Amino acid sequence: MDKVSSDCPYPGCFFCVMKEGNPSKRRASVLKFFRELPCQDDDGQVLPISGLWNTAMAHPNDPEFIELGIFECMSALIWKGLKNRRWLSHDQNIYIPYYAAHIIGSYTMNMEEFAESAVHAGVIPPLVELLRGRLTWVEQRVAVRALGHLATYASTFPAIANHGEILELSIQLAMSSLEIVYSHFYQYVDRRLSYHCDLLTRGMGGVEMESRKAEEWASQLQCWSLQLINCFAFKHEFVSTICKPEFLIKLPGMWGGLVNENSPAGIGLLRTICHQKLGRGPVASCPGIIDALCNIARSSDDWQYMAIDCLLWLLQDPNTCHKVIDKVVPALVDLAEITTLGDHKKLGDSIVNVLQECIQSQGSGRSSISSRTKEQIEDILNSKQRLKWEKNMPKEDLHIKQAAALVVKLEGNSLFSSGNIAGAASKYSEALALCPMRSRKERVVLYSNRAQCHLLLQQPLAAISDATRALCLHKPVNRHAKSLWRRAQAYDMLGSAKESLLDAILFINECSQSNDPDLSLRQNKVPDYAERLVKKQMRAAWLFREAAVKHGGVHSQGDGGDMYGPETDDSEWETASESDIGNDGRDDMGDDDDGDWNNDDERKDYDKPSMKDIKHGYNVQLAEEEP
């Protein structure tokens, strides 16, 4: 190609071509550029490729470059990098396969006709080579992204499925991606490839920036692998391949951390599997998965409805119901009064209907239910019946019941303040039995108060149950700050770091959005102890934790090695001393309304530790960080 501008140092410069004012000439020049570029060995080739990458990211639905052969060009460039290592190591060509695969992924993520063009251009074989790991994990990341987009369309999925190894490679990558990134990039700072660092930071270098971005990209590598597997999971012929125990058992833990919060992660794939009859059997046979699904169903994040769907489908299937019912029912009973969850309407009614079917199926001999499970289901059915009865009761009678519940609650508050925690819990139970079902605000308070009693009595499972019920009753759902904090503490007691972390973060969000005038005067509305709990749980739920344990920690120049990343001196996380613990936290139960930040008495709930004798980090207020 002739040099377009005498000022440009590169023959046939793409940027000069794009400046051509005549549209016909410009298209002809671009077409020629795409055809000739893979055959050239000139310096500076990465510049036009990076420019095309920016264009693809900014205008992924523009058909011009698709029509002019960009897919054929990118496919040829990937092959060139795979086959010609001399060329790949010359100048900055090492970046080109990454950019080429990224361009393919960007142009195929929205438009099915573009995906069809990409398949016809032969992009799948070179992308599969990158997926195999022929280069590095960085190229695997963009290859699995592009293949995942191609697999989402009905017209192009068969071409992906014809490469049988894609599914197996994706499963292995989903399971090993975090370990790959940790051991090949994160662990040894002094051995990081320079082009990886440049890609991760885009010129904004620094070890801390590289490490943070590596965590984000590792999360994406795993989540995009799961997305690709999910496309296969919709087809029954691939379900048995996906439902291998060693993979299924890891799925609930593939949550992507907080760096990729918009991904459905492992729970999204589990939902697709549970929707398939062939998938429900293997899931029901893994007790660890059922436990994880119950925890996620009780959670307050975007994955909650996915877990609820899984549990409902498992209960509705007569082949799996008997395997899971005793574990699943307690979780669903806690959620039976939830109304709307995002776009999901009357979710609680759906739960109650399925639970009722379980009772009826027992009568027909199709399933066996333990007496405890049957009792829990009947309790929630009776509550629904009670709500119907109350609709026909005179208002005066309802007011009398509400007043009686208030009196008993105040008795519970008094017992709590005097240190009789078990007596207070009993009074809150009595008040719940009296309180009208439609008095949702009052019942939120009663459940939340009883959850605090369970915490002090070291009964975390009961605390989680009551806090969950309070959060389901609250409007908006999952936004009651005290219940979020109490459930975060309960999960901390159980060592469930991820669940505790999610609740603690949501609690902090509620604090930061509070309109309380006292908090508004503070520079930082977030309680210090909540920040410390979040830091503690982020460390415990660190994305690379398992890989770090396996590979012996992080090693970098100039330090002694740190297993869990920066700022992990164990002395930071010492628990409170007895002098810190104070007055047992017994003056925090004046919950007479639904507000969380209304007066000093209410704030004591957060500022005081929850119990005197717990020495292992379960108290509300963690120890101060050491300087």
Side-chain angles (χ1 to χ4, degrees), residues 226 230 233-234 239 242-243 248 251-252 264-277 279-280 283 289 293 296 302-314 344 347:
L226 293 171
N230 196 56
F234 280 103
V239 173
I242 297 169
C243 289
L248 285 182
L251 267 183
I267 183 60
L269 178 53
L270 273 174
R271 182 176 183 269
T272 303
I273 292 171
C274 287
H275 193 259
Q276 302 280 351
K277 184 176 180 63
R280 290 194 285 271
V283 170
I289 295 181
L293 284 172
I296 297 169
D302 294 336
W303 305 327
Q304 185 176 10
Y305 83 90
M306 297 184 187
I308 293 172
D309 281 349
C310 291
L311 298 180
L312 292 178
W313 290 331
L314 289 168
H344 303 267
L347 192 55

Side-chain angles (χ1 to χ4, degrees), residues 536-592:
K536 172 189 174 183
Q537 305 299 27
M538 287 189 73
R539 175 174 173 245
W542 184 42
L543 198 65
F544 293 131
R545 181 183 176 91
E546 185 177 340
V549 171
K550 182 175 180 179
H551 290 275
V554 181
H555 302 282
S556 60
Q557 292 177 327
D559 66 31
D562 182 353
M563 182 171 288
Y564 303 120
E567 298 184 357
T568 58
D569 183 355
D570 285 340
S571 62
E572 259 187 57
W573 306 109
E574 289 176 0
T575 55
S577 65
E578 291 208 25
S579 61
D580 293 325
I581 290 173
N583 65 352
D584 300 352
R586 292 177 183 155
D587 52 356
D588 68 343
M589 299 297 288
D591 293 7
D592 289 338

Side-chain angles (χ1 to χ4, degrees), residues 225-391:
S225 300
L226 293 171
Q227 177 191 340
L228 179 50
I229 300 166
N230 196 56
C231 296
F232 283 89
F234 280 103
K235 312 292 184 180
H236 72 274
E237 62 265 33
F238 300 106
V239 173
S240 59
T241 302
I242 297 169
C243 289
K244 294 176 180 177
E246 61 270 23
F247 178 56
L248 285 182
I249 201 67
K250 290 189 174 183
L251 267 183
M254 296 183 187
W255 71 313
L258 298 179
V259 293
N260 210 30
E261 69 275 7
N262 292 325
S263 168
I267 183 60
L269 178 53
L270 273 174
R271 182 176 183 269
T272 303
I273 292 171
C274 287
H275 193 259
Q276 302 280 351
K277 184 176 180 63
L278 287 175
R280 290 194 285 271
V283 170
S285 299
C286 295
I289 295 181
I290 304 305
D291 290 337
L293 284 172
C294 289
N295 281 340
I296 297 169
R298 287 189 177 104
S299 67
S300 305
D301 58 43
D302 294 336
W303 305 327
Q304 185 176 10
Y305 83 90
M306 297 184 187
I308 293 172
D309 281 349
C310 291
L311 298 180
L312 292 178
W313 290 331
L314 289 168
L315 282 185
Q316 289 175 302
D317 189 332
N319 295 316
T320 57
C321 180
H322 66 283
K323 294 181 180 180
V324 304
I325 189 167
D326 288 332
K327 284 193 173 185
V328 167
V329 165
L332 291 180
V333 164
D334 290 342
L335 300 164
E337 291 193 78
I338 199 168
T339 51
T340 299
L341 186 63
D343 295 331
H344 303 267
K345 310 295 184 183
K346 297 184 178 180
L347 192 55
D349 290 343
S350 299
I351 291 171
V352 172
N353 290 337
V354 172
L355 293 177
Q356 189 167 26
E357 290 172 6
C358 290
I359 290 288
Q360 294 169 347
S361 67
Q362 187 199 30
S364 64
R366 287 194 296 146
S367 65
S368 176
I369 303 178
S370 70
S371 57
R372 174 59 181 155
T373 300
K374 183 178 179 181
E375 181 183 334
Q376 289 177 310
I377 295 176
E378 288 176 344
D379 283 347
I380 203 65
L381 295 179
N382 289 338
S383 295
K384 288 293 182 181
Q385 187 62 43
R386 181 178 151 194
L387 180 60
K388 291 181 181 178
W389 290 337
E390 288 177 357
K391 288 182 179 178

Side-chain angles (χ1 to χ4, degrees), residues 143-170:
V144 76
R145 169 180 177 258
L147 290 168
H149 292 326
L150 293 172
T152 58
Y153 304 110
S155 61
T156 52
F157 176 79
I160 296 291
N162 285 339
H163 290 262
E165 63 186 315
I166 289 180
L167 178 56
E168 290 283 359
L169 289 170
S170 301

Side-chain angles (χ1 to χ4, degrees), residues 89-262:
S89 62
H90 179 68
D91 194 39
Q92 292 186 310
N93 294 340
I94 190 69
Y95 296 90
I96 290 178
Y98 168 85
Y99 282 126
H102 210 309
I103 288 167
I104 293 170
S106 295
Y107 276 123
T108 55
M109 65 182 174
N110 297 329
M111 309 294 286
E112 186 168 5
E113 57 267 38
F114 292 2
E116 293 170 357
S117 297
V119 170
H120 293 150
V123 302
I124 294 179
L127 289 174
V128 171
E129 292 301 310
L130 295 182
L131 184 66
R132 285 191 183 123
R134 284 282 300 276
L135 293 182
T136 73
W137 66 270
V138 165
E139 289 78 19
Q140 281 181 304
R141 169 180 168 269
V142 288
V144 76
R145 169 180 177 258
L147 290 168
H149 292 326
L150 293 172
T152 58
Y153 304 110
S155 61
T156 52
F157 176 79
I160 296 291
N162 285 339
H163 290 262
E165 63 186 315
I166 289 180
L167 178 56
E168 290 283 359
L169 289 170
S170 301
I171 291 172
Q172 289 302 316
L173 191 56
M175 290 194 292
S176 61
S177 55
L178 304 184
E179 183 178 346
I180 289 170
V181 178
Y182 179 82
S183 59
H184 288 76
F185 183 84
Y186 195 102
Q187 184 176 19
Y188 296 102
V189 174
D190 53 324
R191 299 184 195 173
R192 295 177 180 177
L193 297 178
S194 60
Y195 89 95
H196 282 180
C197 295
D198 290 342
L199 285 172
L200 284 161
T201 60
R202 297 292 192 275
M204 299 172 61
V207 172
E208 184 177 357
M209 172 70 75
E210 292 165 7
S211 298
R212 289 180 179 177
K213 202 68 177 177
E215 291 188 39
E216 181 180 343
W217 280 26
S219 170
Q220 291 173 352
L221 179 57
Q222 185 176 75
C223 289
W224 286 338
S225 300
L226 293 171
Q227 177 191 340
L228 179 50
I229 300 166
N230 196 56
C231 296
F232 283 89
F234 280 103
K235 312 292 184 180
H236 72 274
E237 62 265 33
F238 300 106
V239 173
S240 59
T241 302
I242 297 169
C243 289
K244 294 176 180 177
E246 61 270 23
F247 178 56
L248 285 182
I249 201 67
K250 290 189 174 183
L251 267 183
M254 296 183 187
W255 71 313
L258 298 179
V259 293
N260 210 30
E261 69 275 7
N262 292 325

